Amino acid sequence: MFSFAEAGTFFVKGRKYRQPAYLATSFSEAVARRFIAMRGGTDCVLWRIRIDSVRKCVHVNLVKKTNVPGEEEYLFAPYSVFTVLSATWNAGTAAAPHEIELLAAVDNKAEPEDLPLAPWS
C-alpha cells in the first residue's frame, strides 16, 4: 500500500505521470471539500487540476447526469497524463487536506506511453 510519506517523493514539481483509472473531478471546490469531509481520515487530498486555457484538454468530459446536485463533474479518461505543478503537505485531515496542483495534458496521445503510473487510483 502507498503511504503519504512516499507521496512526497512521487508528487514533486515537474513530474509527469499517468492516472490509470477514470478520474472524477468537480469544477466546484465546495463540492470537492464536501467529498473530503465525507471521506474523512488522515490522508485527505484536495486536488486542483488546471487545463491549458488556449488548447484545452481533449480527454475530459463534462458529466451532466449526476447524483450530486451542483457537482459539475468532469471525468478524465483512464491513463490521462498530468504534470505536478505543486504539492503542499498539510495535516492531511478534512480540515487541512494536503493540496496537489496538476496540469492536465492537452492530448494523452501526444505523451509518452511509458510514464510512471499514479501510485493509487
Side-chain angles (χ1 to χ4, degrees), residues 32-113:
R33 288 188 180 275
R34 280 199 312 265
F35 276 105
I36 290 170
M38 285 188 300
R39 182 192 177 281
T42 58
D43 55 0
C44 297
V45 179
L46 176 64
W47 302 88
R48 287 192 172 90
I49 300 176
R50 307 290 179 215
I51 293 177
D52 186 291
S53 62
V54 175
R55 299 181 302 154
K56 308 296 182 203
C57 179
V58 299
H59 52 267
V60 67
N61 291 292
L62 173 63
V63 178
K64 293 184 180 185
K65 211 169 190 185
T66 177
N67 292 328
V68 180
E71 183 175 20
E72 299 182 77
E73 181 179 354
Y74 287 83
L75 187 63
F76 285 89
Y79 297 97
S80 288
V81 175
F82 298 95
T83 302
V84 178
L85 297 176
S86 67
T88 303
W89 306 106
N90 299 314
T93 62
H98 305 300
E99 296 183 32
I100 300 176
E101 185 176 11
L102 305 172
L103 176 64
V106 172
D107 185 350
N108 289 329
K109 293 178 185 176
E111 300 293 337
E113 291 187 15

Side-chain angles (χ1 to χ4, degrees), residues 1-12 15-21 47 84 89 100 116-121:
M1 176 148 187
F2 185 79
S3 72
F4 271 90
E6 296 168 297
T9 62
F10 186 86
F11 292 102
V12 294
R15 169 163 296 198
K16 274 190 176 186
Y17 70 92
R18 287 185 180 269
Q19 167 63 32
W47 302 88
V84 178
W89 306 106
I100 300 176
L117 299 179
W120 68 83
S121 54

